[in-house]
Amino acid sequence: MPKRHSTTRLPLLLLPGLVAACIAAVGVRAIEAPNIPNELGEQSPGGGATTRKSIDTREAFSHASEGISLEGESKFKVGNAIFRKLWISAPSSTTSSDGLGPLFNSRSCQSCHLKDGRGRPPHANFPADTAESMFLRLSIPPQNDAQRQLLAEHRANTINEPTYGEQLQNLAVQGLDNEGRMHIDYKDVPVTLGDGTVVSLRHPTYSVDGLKYGPMHPDTMLSPRLAPPMIGVGLLEAIPEADIRAKADPDDKDKDGISGRDSEVWSVEAGKPVLGRFGWKAGKPSVREQAGSAFAGDMGLSNPMSPAPSGDCTKAQPVCLNAPNGNSERDSGLEVGPTLFDHVVFYSQNLAVPPRRNFNDPEVARGKAIFYALGCQSCHTPSFTTGKVEGQPHLSNQKIWPYSDLLLHDMGEGLADNRPEGVADGREWRTSPLWGIGLTQLVSGHTFFLHDGRARNLEEAILWHGGEGQASRDGYAALSKSDREALIKFVESL
């Protein structure tokens, strides 16, 4: 009978607090929401790089940045082909696409980032669904002084699980065992809003079925991660570091209840700690390092950022470490050589943000006023101006509207994974950008939100906010139905 490694770090103990918060919210709140005038250019969230192509199809997130050069457009198309490529195991006669695994979660970038958009949680546990666009991060608390020093110097964000590594790979090449299968149990949690409306949230508990390489460390921490949308990451990367750090207020000196923290992570390229801005806990500093980590961890492919051909295999998995690989001289001794890798990075940096929809709708304007009145913009910072991007003038000096401060915030017990990552503790998550979020259904075919897709729509996502977001969440729960709908309509327009 397959064994299940169960985490005790996402338990049902969270429920009483959640229910208590819901009861406190009963009663409709008449909100004073002064009109917030639209600013010049606000209808183009990606500034001049906002796409002008059709966003009425599933390709809405797959257009290149506006203003990109002809040479850049050609590079973007090649990067797109590599992003969609299905990799195969080595050795193979198709030497340009081999090297998958030995352990992996997906065969292509596109399989996780559905149409360059958001992944989805499995609709059922294995074998009904293989959970291709969602996996579990694994780590343990530091076990000795050397590991504590690694964390203190930001040379590592976590200490990997000794046998299974940084993440659970649910797939393997022929002849090898996969590592196990993520298992999710949901429990419905009723939430009563101020006007008596009852909303059911689904509370997940995560465990692992069928471990194939022995038991996990007894203190293993699990953290579910859904593939995020790809649009606008080149613009986020172009925001000057100082501008992001300037919004941090870790000690809440202004006493507004919001204490965003800037993430500090090790940069392989810089050889020192720098600002983290990508990933659910801002664990990566750049698109390039994020892409390198995904190639290695998700598909087991060596690349300029992560040259090991065995991906996330550990010393406790010698068969995996010694399995054939696809490294080739043609690709500088890697499976994803520098040229292919650079094209994928460029492609990722130039996936354009779509324009706003229903921008001048009075109901959207009313929703915007409510958004501000509830203080949502305290973390979902509306705008930044990008700096200079060498060789990419279309991304440079653009006023953009991502609705994120890219900082870490305490989101409360309800969303806590209780797994520290870098400077982020077990309750902290990076503020997710909101641009394009209203097109999720069209692009990715679903409306699952948050880091593990537990929220089935935007309202559920708002109601999961706690910690620094608790006051805004409670304010939303106390709104009338028409005010809630107006706020949602505004968010869907971003």
Side-chain angles (χ1 to χ4, degrees):
M1 182 176 179
K3 293 181 178 179
R4 176 180 299 176
H5 180 97
S6 176
T7 175
T8 58
R9 301 180 186 277
L10 295 170
L12 300 180
L13 294 175
L14 306 180
L15 298 179
L18 183 63
V19 173
C22 301
I23 292 171
V26 171
V28 175
R29 172 188 175 192
I31 189 167
E32 293 184 10
N35 183 45
I36 307 294
N38 289 328
E39 294 184 35
L40 183 65
E42 193 174 341
Q43 70 274 27
S44 298
T50 304
T51 183
R52 296 178 186 170
K53 294 185 177 178
S54 170
I55 57 167
D56 295 332
T57 72
R58 290 198 67 195
E59 306 300 323
F61 286 179
S62 300
H63 301 309
S65 301
E66 192 68 23
I68 195 171
S69 65
L70 285 176
E71 181 185 1
E73 192 167 353
S74 175
K75 193 172 181 180
F76 180 86
K77 289 177 179 176
V78 175
N80 182 19
I82 301 168
F83 197 81
R84 294 166 191 268
K85 174 189 286 195
L86 288 174
W87 294 83
I88 57 177
S89 59
S92 167
S93 58
T94 310
T95 54
S96 62
S97 299
D98 68 341
L100 180 70
L103 300 171
F104 59 99
N105 294 100
S106 183
R107 290 183 60 199
S108 74
C109 308
Q110 186 79 198
S111 299
C112 292
H113 301 281
L114 305 176
K115 302 298 288 183
D116 302 304
R118 195 178 305 269
R120 65 165 180 81
H123 65 78
N125 289 312
F126 182 82
D129 193 312
T130 57
E132 194 166 6
S133 53
M134 181 171 162
F135 61 76
L136 292 173
R137 291 275 191 219
L138 312 172
S139 62
I140 61 173
Q143 304 295 297
N144 51 52
D145 288 344
Q147 293 180 347
R148 280 185 277 275
Q149 185 173 355
L150 275 176
L151 297 176
E153 294 177 348
H154 306 294
R155 292 178 182 275
N157 286 344
T158 58
I159 303 302
N160 294 342
E161 201 286 329
T163 300
Y164 291 88
E166 186 177 14
Q167 66 193 55
L168 184 78
Q169 276 94 12
N170 57 349
L171 298 169
V173 299
Q174 190 172 8
L176 262 71
D177 286 328
N178 68 337
E179 292 187 315
R181 301 282 180 180
M182 175 176 64
H183 186 100
I184 313 174
D185 290 310
Y186 289 109
K187 183 178 178 62
D188 289 335
V189 183
V191 175
T192 303
L193 307 185
D195 62 0
T197 299
V198 177
V199 177
S200 180
L201 303 182
R202 55 176 192 167
H203 181 279
T205 300
Y206 294 92
S207 57
V208 179
D209 283 338
L211 289 171
K212 298 291 179 58
Y213 295 86
M216 284 187 178
H217 189 285
D219 295 330
T220 299
M221 298 173 281
L222 312 179
S223 183
R225 301 296 171 89
L226 201 66
M230 297 290 295
I231 55 171
V233 296
L235 292 165
L236 298 178
E237 187 175 43
I239 300 171
E241 182 173 320
D243 292 356
I244 297 172
R245 291 191 188 276
K247 293 185 176 297
D249 183 18
D251 300 320
D252 193 19
K253 291 181 178 177
D254 61 7
K255 306 299 181 187
D256 67 349
I258 306 297
S259 52
R261 293 204 295 155
D262 43 344
S263 174
E264 202 76 36
V265 300
W266 189 262
S267 167
V268 174
E269 289 190 294
K272 63 179 183 181
V274 300
L275 176 74
R277 62 177 87 197
F278 294 109
W280 288 103
K281 295 211 176 198
K284 293 296 177 185
S286 66
V287 176
R288 191 173 179 82
E289 296 198 32
Q290 178 71 42
S293 175
F295 269 126
D298 302 351
M299 293 181 279
L301 294 166
S302 60
N303 62 81
M305 292 291 99
S306 300
S310 50
D312 194 33
C313 300
T314 69
K315 293 179 181 177
Q317 299 166 320
V319 175
C320 181
L321 284 177
N322 296 320
N325 63 67
N327 284 354
S328 69
E329 291 185 12
R330 181 196 57 206
D331 288 313
S332 303
L334 300 167
E335 290 161 332
V336 183
T339 302
L340 293 182
F341 185 76
D342 288 348
H343 279 78
V344 171
V345 171
F346 184 85
Y347 172 75
S348 302
Q349 290 171 328
N350 280 288
L351 281 164
V353 177
R356 294 272 304 274
R357 285 80 54 206
N358 305 315
F359 181 66
N360 293 314
D361 186 328
E363 193 70 353
V364 169
R366 193 164 72 86
K368 180 181 181 181
I370 296 170
F371 184 89
Y372 277 74
L374 294 181
C376 305
Q377 82 287 359
S378 297
C379 301
H380 289 285
T381 300
S383 65
F384 283 97
T385 299
T386 63
K388 182 179 179 182
V389 182
E390 198 64 41
Q392 302 202 60
H394 54 286
L395 301 181
S396 304
N397 306 313
Q398 300 295 322
K399 184 162 186 179
I400 61 173
W401 300 78
Y403 280 86
S404 169
D405 60 7
L406 300 183
L407 297 175
L408 297 168
H409 293 277
D410 176 0
M411 294 303 293
E413 282 297 319
L415 285 177
D417 65 355
N418 296 305
R419 175 184 179 269
E421 179 182 330
V423 303
D425 66 26
R427 294 164 53 108
E428 289 179 315
W429 299 92
R430 185 203 67 162
T431 307
S432 292
L434 298 180
W435 50 18
I437 198 167
L439 293 172
T440 302
Q441 175 69 57
L442 175 66
V443 171
S444 301
H446 67 79
T447 56
F448 296 109
F449 300 112
L450 301 176
H451 66 281
D452 57 359
R454 69 180 66 186
R456 290 162 291 195
N457 50 52
L458 288 174
E459 179 166 81
E460 290 186 19
I462 294 169
L463 293 173
W464 272 109
H465 281 52
E468 296 174 48
Q470 186 71 51
S472 296
R473 174 259 178 231
D474 290 349
Y476 173 85
L479 294 173
S480 66
K481 184 173 185 291
S482 65
D483 284 350
R484 295 198 305 271
E485 290 175 345
L487 186 143
I488 295 288
K489 195 165 184 177
F490 165 68
V491 174
E492 288 177 337
S493 79
L494 297 176

